Amino acid sequence: MAAPVKSVDKPPAECSPLNFTSFQKKSRSKSLSIPGTRPSVQNGQLLVSSGVTSLDYLLGGGLAVGTVLLIEEDRYDSFSRMIFKYFLAEGVVCRHELFVAAAQDDPDDILQELPAPILDDVAIHRPGEQPRMSCEPQDTLDAMKIAWRYQNLPKVQSALASSSRFGHYYDVSKTMEPEIRQAAKWHRFYHPEHPPLSSGTHSPKLESYSALLKSLRDVIQREGFDLTAPLPKSRNILRVGLHSLGSALWGDDLCCHDNPKNVHALTSFLYGLRALLRTSLSVAVVTVPSHLIQDRALMGSITRLCDNAIALESFKGSERETNPLYKDYHGLLHVRQVPRLNCLASHLPDHKDLAFKLKRKQFTIERLHLPPDLSETVSRVSKGELAGAATAAAACSSATSSAKHLDF
Amino acid sequence: MLGNVRSFTMLSELLQGTDVGGFLLIQDSCSYSGRHLLKSFIDAALNREEVVHVLGLDVSEEELKEGLKSLVFQRLHFHDAYADPLGWTDNSPFTVHQFSSWRLAELLKQTAQSKPATLVIDSLSWVLRHISPTAVCHTLQQLKKGGAVRTIIGLLHEDMHSRGIVGSVCRLATSVITVEPGSKGEEALAKITKRSKLGKVTQDEQIFSIRKDLTVTVLSKPTDPGHKQSTTEEQVDPTANLTFNLRLTDAEREAKEKLALPFVFSKEKKTALLHSGPGSGKILYEPDASDDYDQEDPDDDLDV
């Protein structure tokens, strides 16, 4: 029963001091075993977590390696930036490499703002720390009055023995500790640091996007993420984060004009990006300020050129903020596209009405539903009516005192 | 000096100019001009002993300086781009094509002071008509980050541009004030959106009026007749209206806490049990003769 299981092949994962069981899964290791990834249950594709567990669930288990996730930004770029930071923080925690490109903020500043992970077993980078069993100060005995036998056990017990879980939770109110962040290897591309070399060449590509693509290709080839090159011993995933592509600060006038001069700049960049990603072990998250792009056909082609696409619509500043239907949530989430990778049918989310809420320890995406009507007047207002006229809804709820009780 | 302004309103906070390195955008339309509010901001900055540089493109110098007190004019530097903005004559003090970050930084260094100056652009619409929006956004971003300027205050006429251009410029701004005419004559409505560094967005709407001496009086929040005072239901107290008593008085609560629980040991016994020696929790199993102990993994034949 409790005899140790002798495993035939020792898995290459490092033996962390926080192994609670001695069980080691015997795997034939046909597929690459990279920490922080897992094969998809639908089509065997290698998946990485996007940092938000509810988003992983929506996208069919996670982001497939070699694909692009397009996030259409909300009006003030608050929630899309949050998901962008979750993606990068997940990369730091799983010890993937990062490539961050931005035009508005310095990538250093973006990395300073990453949220802190919540788990205990992430703190493996501190080698000097003893396990908690040994010397606890006496006054912590008063912490638990009834369940004091469990006091010395760590707060969160991970189900699996390995420290590289799939999908972590983050505390938004704290930033990631510098030790964890500095242990991560990352590359940066800050657009103002790459001034345009020549101007006036009438090519469909834009100078800034070409420089970005070239820089990304160099990083992929130099650091060994390329699948066409001979494989080094240990492989890792490169997480690429591109912030606010298409905005005016990248030199692109997609957002400014109805008939932009560089119509094909962003689309040819995305085409090149996807080709680069398919032949390497990388995942990309691209955010685009789609509310500024007037041409819907162009937005459609941008969506088609990315694999996964979601759009965030925040309630702040719109008339929906006061709608009682939406009072529990911060905004709506629309899934625009889900890819079909190496299979005929894709996994579509069950429900189309999704709303999100940014809580301190979790970014939840839930199905939008009518709350139960517990008031005196049980008049069934349909969702369409409620969304259409906020004033009418207020009038309905205050039309009291008529004896409209439900009679059983 | 600011009359009966409550210090916690967003408009007055912005007027006090506490955020450094920001870009404040005032958006107006033809129904209500934002220049009065712009002049109030200039006045407030001058009263705070700051150096203000004004790029005047929309109105002439005399018109802009009207209403400002003359004793602060030594700190106000007006760069006249109103007379000849496109440089048709050869000696124009400032043309619109000189709107670039290095040229503006040079201009600001000419009147070098100890602390960086406030740059006021009146108006950005003029610049956007002659320079491409991407170049203008670049310049504004570089000025914000560069440190040559303390804050930038710009006026934008939103009905002169397409939504995309207005949206792109608003993205760069840390605070945006959209002014509209109010319900009564002298009053105006200001919708303020402020973005903090971490991405938190706060919004507010205030009715204000500007007096002759350019002080801003914030009146009140607009009472929108559409927003019915939604009676937020009181949290239903589950311990009310019951036939039995579920509440605790203070004495009862104390007694409850003093109650000695079973299996509560003294401190020493607890520590002894918690920090027990090695080997106290292990299970040692010796397989019997009749136990079928198979070392092989039954999942071996699965091709997973």
Side-chain angles (χ1 to χ4, degrees):
Chain A
M1 253 176 40
V5 174
K6 273 198 286 239
S7 57
V8 177
D9 10 284
K10 278 258 183 277
E14 59 284 331
C15 199
S16 103
L18 296 167
N19 257 334
F20 300 113
T21 73
S22 55
F23 172 70
Q24 280 160 344
K25 184 175 176 193
K26 190 167 78 170
S27 61
R28 302 268 179 96
S29 56
K30 251 190 254 180
S31 60
L32 305 164
S33 61
I34 305 172
T37 66
R38 71 165 181 207
S40 159
V41 295
Q42 276 130 24
N43 49 14
Q45 199 82 35
L46 197 63
L47 298 178
V48 295
S49 170
S50 61
V52 181
T53 35
S54 11
L55 189 62
D56 284 343
Y57 174 72
L58 269 186
L59 297 174
L63 290 175
V65 172
T67 59
V68 182
L69 168 66
L70 173 76
I71 302 179
E72 294 185 28
E73 292 176 7
D74 50 313
R75 183 170 287 277
Y76 301 109
D77 192 24
S78 28
F79 299 108
S80 44
R81 201 186 164 91
M82 203 63 236
I83 298 187
F84 189 75
K85 288 193 284 193
Y86 274 128
F87 177 71
L88 296 175
E90 183 73 27
V92 172
V93 164
C94 295
R95 290 189 276 166
H96 297 159
E97 276 188 42
L98 304 177
F99 180 95
V100 186
Q104 189 165 3
D105 303 301
D106 197 319
D108 286 326
D109 296 337
I110 298 180
L111 278 199
Q112 302 268 348
E113 294 170 15
L114 293 184
I118 297 185
L119 302 178
D120 273 353
D121 51 0
V122 175
I124 4 177
H125 301 288
R126 299 183 215 155
E129 179 156 297
Q130 298 290 322
R132 289 195 197 184
M133 300 279 183
S134 42
C135 37
E136 278 294 309
Q138 293 291 61
D139 33 59
T140 59
L141 278 176
D142 299 315
M144 290 193 195
K145 207 168 161 195
I146 298 176
W148 52 269
R149 288 178 203 267
Y150 296 99
Q151 218 152 269
N152 281 348
L153 295 178
K155 295 251 167 53
V156 175
Q157 199 150 20
S158 58
L160 302 169
S162 66
S163 58
S164 54
R165 254 178 50 174
F166 192 83
H168 298 88
Y169 291 98
Y170 299 91
D171 189 345
V172 174
S173 57
K174 302 188 209 136
T175 51
M176 195 181 264
E177 283 165 31
E179 325 164 317
I180 307 179
R181 197 174 58 226
Q182 275 148 22
K185 193 162 172 215
W186 67 290
H187 312 273
R188 52 177 275 142
F189 183 94
Y190 186 36
H191 176 62
E193 288 170 4
H194 299 255
L197 300 161
S198 65
S199 57
T201 50
H202 283 285
S203 66
K205 293 198 295 259
L206 209 63
E207 192 63 48
S208 49
Y209 294 145
S210 313
L212 175 58
L213 203 55
K214 195 163 172 306
S215 167
L216 184 58
R217 195 188 61 196
D218 288 339
V219 166
I220 287 179
Q221 282 171 352
R222 201 177 55 223
E223 306 288 331
F225 295 108
D226 204 357
L227 284 171
T228 55
L231 314 176
K233 276 291 163 184
S234 69
R235 311 232 59 176
N236 206 349
I237 303 271
L238 178 70
R239 288 192 182 227
V240 179
L242 308 174
H243 187 251
S244 270
L245 284 187
S247 70
L249 288 171
W250 281 99
D252 202 353
D253 58 352
L254 277 183
C255 298
C256 304
H257 296 131
D258 289 336
N259 298 315
K261 269 197 312 245
N262 311 314
V263 165
H264 299 297
L266 184 57
T267 44
S268 38
F269 169 78
L270 286 173
Y271 193 68
L273 175 71
R274 208 167 63 155
L276 197 58
L277 291 183
R278 287 285 200 268
T279 55
S280 63
L281 279 176
S282 5
V283 189
V285 164
V286 175
T287 67
V288 167
S290 65
H291 55 97
L292 295 175
I293 296 179
Q294 311 298 322
D295 190 353
R296 300 323 298 171
L298 183 59
M299 203 54 230
S301 51
I302 291 175
T303 309
R304 286 262 168 267
L305 282 167
C306 299
D307 302 295
N308 298 287
I310 60 171
L312 295 173
E313 185 189 327
S314 110
F315 293 145
K316 195 126 209 159
S318 72
E319 63 277 0
R320 292 187 185 186
E321 203 170 358
T322 48
N323 196 325
L325 182 61
Y326 299 133
K327 69 173 160 55
D328 288 329
Y329 301 106
H330 286 138
L332 297 178
L333 187 133
H334 308 280
V335 177
R336 301 269 192 235
Q337 186 173 253
V338 179
R340 282 193 302 271
L341 299 165
N342 307 327
C343 54
L344 286 174
S346 52
H347 163 265
L348 289 169
D350 298 333
H351 316 293
K352 298 282 165 59
D353 319 309
L354 299 161
F356 65 85
K357 184 173 175 65
L358 177 63
K359 295 196 272 210
R360 191 166 79 96
K361 296 203 175 168
Q362 208 185 5
F363 184 95
T364 46
I365 301 172
E366 291 166 13
R367 185 182 170 206
L368 191 62
H369 60 273
L370 282 175
D373 194 355
L374 296 169
S375 63
E376 285 283 311
T377 66
V378 201
S379 55
R380 305 272 163 160
V381 183
S382 71
K383 196 160 77 154
E385 271 178 75
L386 203 60
T391 53
C396 276
S397 62
S398 58
T400 57
S401 80
S402 66
K404 284 182 85 177
H405 300 292
L406 266 184
D407 225 334
F408 288 96
Chain B
M1 272 306 287
L2 290 172
N4 53 344
V5 172
R6 289 182 294 272
S7 60
F8 50 77
T9 52
M10 277 180 75
L11 189 56
S12 46
E13 262 179 47
L14 288 171
L15 275 165
Q16 279 160 21
T18 36
D19 60 340
V20 185
F23 171 32
L24 172 72
L25 187 70
I26 301 178
Q27 267 188 3
D28 67 351
S29 56
C30 50
S31 43
Y32 183 82
S33 168
R35 190 157 294 108
H36 305 290
L37 190 60
L38 186 70
K39 290 213 291 205
S40 309
F41 271 94
I42 298 176
D43 188 50
L46 288 170
N47 287 341
R48 280 195 308 270
E49 319 265 322
E50 281 172 21
V51 178
V52 178
H53 288 258
V54 179
L55 272 185
L57 295 139
D58 261 8
V59 292
S60 65
E61 185 167 352
E62 299 83 40
E63 198 179 327
L64 192 74
K65 283 188 173 166
E66 187 186 321
L68 294 172
K69 294 178 271 296
S70 50
L71 43 88
V72 296
F73 278 176
Q74 44 158 334
R75 287 197 291 272
L76 175 68
H77 304 275
F78 190 88
H79 304 282
D80 187 12
Y82 171 75
D84 185 13
L86 294 173
W88 287 340
T89 67
D90 281 327
N91 50 352
S92 165
F94 192 85
T95 67
V96 111
H97 299 288
Q98 288 171 349
F99 188 83
S100 68
S101 58
W102 60 269
R103 181 77 180 90
L104 284 171
E106 251 181 64
L107 210 67
L108 293 166
K109 272 207 271 280
Q110 279 170 9
T111 56
Q113 305 281 325
S114 52
K115 42 187 184 204
T118 304
L119 178 66
V120 175
I121 306 175
D122 175 23
S123 61
L124 273 170
S125 294
W126 239 106
V127 183
L128 282 167
R129 287 203 64 77
H130 294 279
I131 311 246
S132 73
T134 46
V136 173
C137 288
H138 261 118
T139 307
L140 287 171
Q141 179 74 2
Q142 278 166 350
L143 281 174
K144 243 174 69 176
K145 297 261 169 178
V149 176
R150 189 176 176 271
T151 40
I152 309 174
I153 306 178
L155 181 65
L156 184 70
H157 308 301
E158 62 176 351
D159 41 5
M160 272 176 71
H161 308 285
S162 64
R163 264 187 13 191
I165 296 181
V166 172
S168 302
V169 177
C170 283
R171 263 175 81 85
L172 298 174
T174 44
S175 333
V176 179
I177 306 179
T178 309
V179 288
E180 284 167 18
S183 40
K184 298 183 217 150
E186 280 294 312
E187 293 171 357
L189 177 66
K191 292 186 190 160
I192 308 159
T193 309
K194 210 166 150 178
R195 268 162 76 168
S196 75
K197 278 223 159 48
L198 300 168
K200 196 161 182 325
V201 175
T202 36
Q203 285 187 327
D204 206 5
E205 275 189 18
Q206 272 147 13
I207 299 186
F208 69 99
S209 72
I210 306 184
R211 295 204 285 249
K212 272 277 181 320
D213 59 349
L214 295 178
T215 53
V216 176
T217 319
V218 177
L219 295 169
S220 58
K221 277 190 161 346
T223 50
D224 196 346
H227 289 266
K228 187 81 194 265
Q229 280 284 319
S230 60
T231 53
T232 52
E233 281 183 46
E234 285 286 325
Q235 281 291 337
V236 178
D237 186 15
T239 55
N241 298 334
L242 292 171
T243 52
F244 44 90
N245 183 20
L246 273 183
R247 293 203 191 101
L248 287 176
T249 63
D250 285 329
E252 286 171 347
R253 203 180 295 268
E254 261 185 54
K256 174 183 164 201
E257 260 150 46
K258 275 205 215 132
L259 181 65
L261 298 169
F263 300 109
V264 163
F265 301 126
S266 63
K267 260 202 182 153
E268 295 77 24
K269 195 164 181 192
K270 265 194 201 173
T271 43
L273 280 170
L274 278 175
H275 302 299
S276 49
S280 64
K282 283 220 179 105
I283 300 175
L284 301 160
Y285 180 71
E286 300 285 337
D288 275 355
S290 53
D291 263 339
D292 184 9
Y293 185 66
D294 191 0
Q295 286 270 7
E296 248 178 46
D297 189 358
D299 291 333
D300 246 348
D301 55 353
L302 288 177
D303 198 6
V304 180

